[in-house]
Amino acid sequence: APRLRARKAGSRVRAGTLIAEQEGTLSTRAEPEVVIRRGVVGDAAGLAAFAARTFAEAFGDDTRTGDLQAHVAATYRPDLQARELADPTVITLLALQDARIVAYAQVRLNDAPPSCVTMSDAVELQRFYAGRSVRGTGLTLRLMQLALDAARELGGRYAWLGVWERNARAMAFYRKAGFDEIGFTHYVVGSDRQTDRVFLASLSPLD
C-alpha cells in the first residue's frame, strides 16, 4: 500500500478493506456504467476528496485519530493531486459512475523502492482504492488489469506494491491478481511507524 510520497520507499497500496470481489460474485443491481479513464489536472479536487475519504474509511478504525488526520492533511489536497496528475512518471486511472469517482489506481516510477525490490524495471502500484458503492461489481479486477497495463506503459517488466501486514484481505486479493510476497518495508502514518508487506508481479509485454 500514500500520499505525495513520490520517490520515497515504503508507499502502500491502501485498498484493502474496500476490495469486495469474492471468487466471481458479481452484483446484479442495475447501476450506471462505470467508465475508466486517465486522470487529468482538472480532476485534482475531486480525486483529493475521494482519496481522503476512502483512506479514512479503510483505516480509520485501526489508526489513532491524530495520526490519521495528520496523514490525510499531508497527503490528500488538490495541489498535491494536481502535481501528481501532471507528472509524466505517474499514471492515475479514475473509475467514474455518473461523473463521480468511485475508484482509482495510480502507478509511478519510483527510484527509491524498498531494498527487496531489486529489479530496475519494476514500477510501483502506489495507490488502489474502490468505494463502497462498487463493491461486488467486478470493478477492482478490471481496474487492476488496467493499472498493470499502465505499469507496462511506463516501461515496467514488474510491478510492486506495499500493503499493511494486518490487511489479510488485501493480500489475498493481490495474490489472486498475480502478486507474490517478497519482503517488507515500513510506512509512517502520522507518528505511527507500521510494517508493510511488499509484493511483486511479473508483467507480460504489451501487445
Side-chain angles (χ1 to χ4, degrees), residues 17-187:
T17 59
L18 298 179
I19 290 172
E21 280 65 19
Q22 298 291 334
E23 299 299 331
T25 300
L26 299 179
S27 170
T28 58
R29 294 172 298 173
E31 297 287 352
E33 181 183 3
V34 175
V35 175
I36 299 175
R37 64 165 173 81
R38 190 168 300 196
V40 297
V41 172
D43 296 311
L47 177 57
F50 179 80
R53 176 170 59 81
T54 51
F55 186 93
E57 288 174 352
F59 301 101
D61 291 343
D62 300 302
T63 305
R64 290 188 295 269
T65 300
D67 288 331
L68 181 70
Q69 292 175 342
H71 180 80
V72 168
T75 307
Y76 302 119
R77 302 195 311 265
D79 62 310
L80 298 182
Q81 272 61 70
R83 191 183 310 167
E84 293 168 350
L85 289 163
D87 189 336
T89 69
V90 179
I91 295 176
T92 303
L93 300 174
L94 305 180
L96 299 106
Q97 190 172 53
D98 282 346
R100 295 180 301 107
I101 300 173
V102 294
Y104 80 106
Q106 190 172 76
V107 298
R108 66 173 181 171
L109 299 179
N110 183 336
D111 58 12
S115 60
C116 57
V117 180
T118 58
M119 303 81 171
S120 61
D121 48 5
V123 173
E124 181 185 10
L125 176 53
Q126 181 189 16
R127 297 179 185 145
F128 191 89
Y129 293 82
R132 291 171 176 166
S133 67
V134 292
R135 289 181 179 183
T137 64
L139 176 62
T140 56
L141 296 174
R142 179 182 165 200
L143 184 60
M144 174 61 78
Q145 184 57 62
L146 293 174
L148 296 181
D149 286 346
R152 295 182 184 95
E153 185 178 335
L154 289 176
R157 294 180 59 194
Y158 302 88
W160 69 271
L161 59 87
V163 59
W164 193 22
E165 64 178 351
R166 298 183 190 177
N167 204 334
R169 189 177 187 182
M171 288 188 279
F173 174 82
Y174 297 129
R175 289 188 178 99
K176 182 178 179 180
F179 287 83
D180 295 309
E181 184 176 343
I182 61 167
F184 69 93
T185 188
H186 293 101
Y187 185 77

